[in-house]
Amino acid sequence: MKIAVEGCCHGELDRTYAELAKMEQQTKQKVDALIICGDFQAIRNQSDLQCMAVPSKYRQLGQFHQYYIGKKVAPVLTLVIGGNHEASNYMWELYHGGWLAPNIYYLGGANCVRLNGVRIAGCSGIFKAHDYHLGHYEKIPYDNSSLRSVYHVRAYDVFKMSLLTPGLGVCISHDWPEGIYNHGDVEALVTKKPFFREDIGKGELGNPHMMELLKGLRPQWWLSAHLHIKFQAEVDHTGKGIKSKIKRKPGQSDGALERMSNDSNTLRRQQKQTETRLNTEEIVMDDDEEDEVVEQSTKELPKVQHPNTDEILMDDEEDTLKDDHTVAPAAEEAVASTAEEGSASSPRPTTSAESLPETTRFLALDKCLPGRKFLEIIDIPTSTPVDDNTPPRFTFDPEWLAICRAMHPLLSTERRSTIQPRLTLAKNWVQNELEWIQDKLKQKTDELNAQTEASSDGTAELDISTIQRFVMTAPGPSHGRNSGQPLLWYTNPQTEAFCELIGVENKVNSKPPDIGQGRGR
């Protein structure tokens, strides 16, 4: 199966699809899908611009709204994760995943789906330690702090991904797994981006939890963007060594580089000034500078003893400490249910150590600009032959649905988060819920008069489009002299449909009984 991969899109959909068509013609390949690794910028209208963390001079509608209102249609199935420059209000509407526009699917905060049977998982956002252990508390209208914290990766979503059975086809993250540079040509990397040296020396060039997932899930491919440079690496999971085309200098160590020189900040400023002169279209931002106000406010808070020593308490958490992290009542019921029922009969996907990939290939790409290496085609093996003339089958992953159902009681939409269970206990919850999910999938396929098909591991599959159908919630852009639009709250029917499918409450944007669609906040 041929998959096209793009780094940061930055709203340049027309250019992306044009370049893809050109690449297909030149290589005589037809791709089955396109994966965009973040900074997609799904801007529907002027009010969405208030929810995107970029300097005001870069707040432009872009091209997505033309696909949203149906003026244009994506020529290929497009799978998207979120980055740090997004219309976060729209992304939150589809936290569990959903169609941003016809043929453009957002994976949500975290997700795992199947494409022609290949399991594709993704996690949106970037890593900032001070927000990692918080709940998804942000609400519109965002202030200067929540406008940025809303796209920061949360431990809850990473924990859900850790429950997946290893041996995935593809994993996607916006920022890089921290330490991935040690598995490629790190010297070439810092030659091109010298201001990376300081972060590499401190072990902070990326998300450490993504590297933990990479080693635990052992996907065939890991795809990223964010740092605006093409970089390849290969991680050996066996200790046998790699026979690879990845260029590494003889004797290059697998350990992190020693701490770099003190002039890295000067090099950073020089690089940004050079890039600005070379291309005025490019948004040049320093993510550390973006979050400076948030980190500073966090550092000024007094330290408090807390059951979770990794958690940073925020100033508005004035309740007693015992209430900061609680196991929801439904989660307690799940613990009791697990103890009573034991292991369920429904099988999870199983993989033996021998069948897992021995290595994970890593690919990061640049942003969508002329002359940049922002698009490539990779080949993913499938268990069944792929017909070039047939659209790929895009289905829910039953195990992921069971994970979402099992972990839903712990989804916090407040600043305080809930305590994560032991991994073994959580896997028992998932095992129990998988049987319920399989029964539900069979029921849905019967209701829809669809033929139930089984995947290679014996689990039923259900096409995503039979449950989630694209619906415009917000209007498209307004035109004329007064083009301002109020910032409104919306319930997304796709989120309602997903929650109905797995039998849980819609905590994301449920519709109050006394109002219609669209409401100011």
Side-chain angles (χ1 to χ4, degrees):
M1 179 169 62
K2 304 294 183 183
I3 301 290
V5 183
E6 181 180 36
C8 298
C9 178
H10 287 295
E12 295 286 347
L13 275 178
D14 291 349
R15 180 178 289 166
T16 296
Y17 291 131
E19 187 66 23
L20 177 57
K22 180 181 176 182
M23 184 176 289
E24 285 182 316
Q25 184 178 18
Q26 290 175 341
T27 62
K28 294 180 170 52
Q29 299 180 89
K30 181 175 175 57
V31 303
D32 297 282
L34 166 67
I35 291 175
I36 299 179
C37 301
D39 284 356
F40 180 75
Q41 297 183 5
I43 309 297
R44 301 167 294 182
N45 53 42
Q46 285 84 354
S47 65
D48 283 352
L49 292 171
Q50 303 173 46
C51 301
M52 183 169 68
V54 296
S56 56
K57 65 180 178 178
Y58 294 117
R59 288 182 177 172
Q60 302 172 356
L61 278 175
Q63 300 154 3
F64 169 78
H65 68 276
Q66 298 178 343
Y67 296 82
Y68 177 74
I69 65 176
K71 185 176 180 179
K72 297 179 180 180
V73 178
V76 62
L77 174 64
T78 304
L79 307 184
V80 177
I81 64 164
N84 55 312
H85 302 309
E86 307 289 0
S88 296
N89 57 328
Y90 189 23
M91 296 307 206
W92 176 248
E93 280 185 33
L94 297 171
Y95 167 77
H96 294 294
W99 300 101
L100 294 168
N103 222 26
I104 301 176
Y105 193 87
Y106 170 52
L107 290 180
N111 206 338
C112 181
V113 295
R114 298 191 182 202
L115 189 65
N116 284 338
V118 175
R119 306 181 79 199
I120 299 176
C123 188
S124 294
I126 63 171
F127 175 71
K128 291 294 177 181
H130 53 74
D131 290 326
Y132 183 67
H133 289 285
L134 300 182
H136 288 284
Y137 68 90
E138 296 85 356
K139 304 289 189 298
I140 61 171
Y142 303 124
D143 59 21
N144 187 57
S145 173
S146 60
L147 181 64
R148 290 167 174 80
S149 66
V150 67
Y151 58 71
H152 291 161
V153 174
R154 302 297 156 91
Y156 172 80
D157 299 307
V158 173
F159 185 77
K160 284 169 64 180
M161 288 190 67
S162 73
L163 297 173
L164 288 164
T165 299
L168 304 177
V170 178
C171 275
I172 318 161
S173 64
H174 186 58
D175 52 357
W176 297 11
E178 210 298 309
I180 194 67
Y181 43 79
N182 288 320
H183 303 273
D185 192 343
V186 65
E187 289 298 338
L189 177 65
V190 296
T191 297
K192 293 178 181 177
K193 298 278 190 176
F195 49 85
F196 285 0
R197 289 180 179 272
E198 181 180 23
D199 286 340
I200 289 175
K202 294 187 296 184
E204 295 178 355
L205 191 73
N207 186 336
H209 304 287
M210 291 300 109
M211 179 55 83
E212 292 171 4
L213 286 178
L214 185 152
K215 292 178 178 178
L217 297 180
R218 291 175 65 164
Q220 297 175 47
W221 285 88
W222 192 289
L223 309 173
S224 296
H226 190 50
L227 296 182
H228 302 163
I229 186 172
K230 179 180 177 180
F231 183 74
Q232 295 173 280
E234 193 165 9
V235 178
D236 176 25
H237 299 293
T238 66
K240 299 176 182 177
I242 297 175
K243 296 180 180 178
S244 168
K245 295 181 180 179
I246 303 297
K247 294 180 179 179
R248 301 183 66 178
K249 292 189 176 181
Q252 179 177 315
S253 170
D254 278 342
L257 299 182
E258 62 185 45
R259 294 181 180 272
M260 302 298 178
S261 61
N262 292 329
D263 63 349
S264 58
N265 288 332
T266 302
L267 290 170
R268 184 194 297 265
R269 287 193 296 271
Q270 291 174 347
Q271 176 81 359
K272 287 162 67 174
Q273 291 168 0
T274 301
E275 291 181 350
T276 303
R277 289 196 300 271
L278 290 176
N279 195 329
T280 56
E281 294 181 55
E282 181 166 355
I283 299 176
V284 182
M285 298 181 66
D286 186 326
D287 295 314
D288 293 329
E289 291 174 0
E290 283 182 329
D291 291 320
E292 181 178 357
V293 118
V294 181
E295 295 206 28
Q296 184 63 34
S297 64
T298 303
K299 290 175 183 177
E300 291 172 356
L301 296 175
K303 293 184 179 180
V304 183
Q305 283 300 110
H306 194 270
N308 184 346
T309 55
D310 291 328
E311 174 102 12
I312 298 176
L313 296 180
M314 303 306 240
D315 54 358
D316 63 350
E317 295 181 3
E318 298 176 353
D319 296 334
T320 58
L321 285 177
K322 66 180 180 181
D323 290 329
D324 286 338
H325 280 264
T326 58
V327 176
E332 293 175 348
E333 293 173 8
V335 175
S337 174
T338 300
E340 292 172 5
E341 296 177 16
S343 60
S345 58
S346 181
R348 296 182 68 184
T350 56
T351 52
S352 63
E354 292 77 15
S355 65
L356 290 174
E358 293 188 350
T359 66
T360 293
R361 298 178 66 180
F362 174 80
L363 175 64
L365 291 169
D366 209 328
K367 63 173 71 175
C368 182
L369 283 175
R372 301 295 190 93
K373 296 177 181 179
F374 66 89
L375 192 66
E376 278 204 12
I377 297 175
I378 63 176
D379 196 8
I380 308 288
T382 60
S383 57
T384 57
V386 176
D387 185 352
D388 289 343
N389 299 316
T390 303
R393 186 147 190 238
F394 186 45
T395 60
F396 290 109
D397 181 78
E399 185 185 34
W400 181 256
L401 298 182
I403 290 170
C404 291
R405 178 172 164 82
M407 294 299 296
H408 189 74
L410 303 185
L411 171 58
S412 172
T413 55
E414 299 179 358
R415 192 174 215 114
R416 64 178 64 87
S417 61
T418 50
I419 296 174
Q420 295 176 7
R422 297 188 307 276
L423 190 64
T424 53
L425 178 60
K427 287 184 176 181
N428 282 338
W429 296 354
V430 174
Q431 182 70 20
N432 288 337
E433 298 298 351
L434 189 56
E435 184 175 11
W436 188 97
I437 290 293
Q438 294 288 19
D439 290 342
K440 185 71 170 183
L441 294 182
K442 185 178 185 307
Q443 174 191 338
K444 282 295 180 182
T445 53
D446 289 344
E447 288 176 359
L448 295 165
N449 255 343
Q451 181 181 0
T452 303
E453 295 190 21
S455 64
S456 58
D457 57 20
T459 57
E461 291 188 341
L462 181 66
D463 288 349
I464 289 176
S465 60
T466 61
I467 301 298
Q468 294 180 301
R469 299 177 180 86
F470 170 70
V471 178
M472 285 181 57
T473 49
S478 60
H479 303 285
R481 182 177 299 178
N482 183 15
S483 60
Q485 292 176 304
L487 184 59
L488 299 177
W489 162 94
Y490 297 95
T491 291
N492 199 301
Q494 295 184 74
T495 299
E496 295 270 87
F498 179 87
C499 291
E500 188 279 331
L501 175 65
I502 66 172
V504 300
E505 172 195 2
N506 177 8
K507 295 183 179 182
V508 173
N509 51 17
S510 58
K511 184 177 179 180
D514 59 335
I515 67 169
Q517 187 79 327
R519 184 184 185 184
R521 289 292 285 258

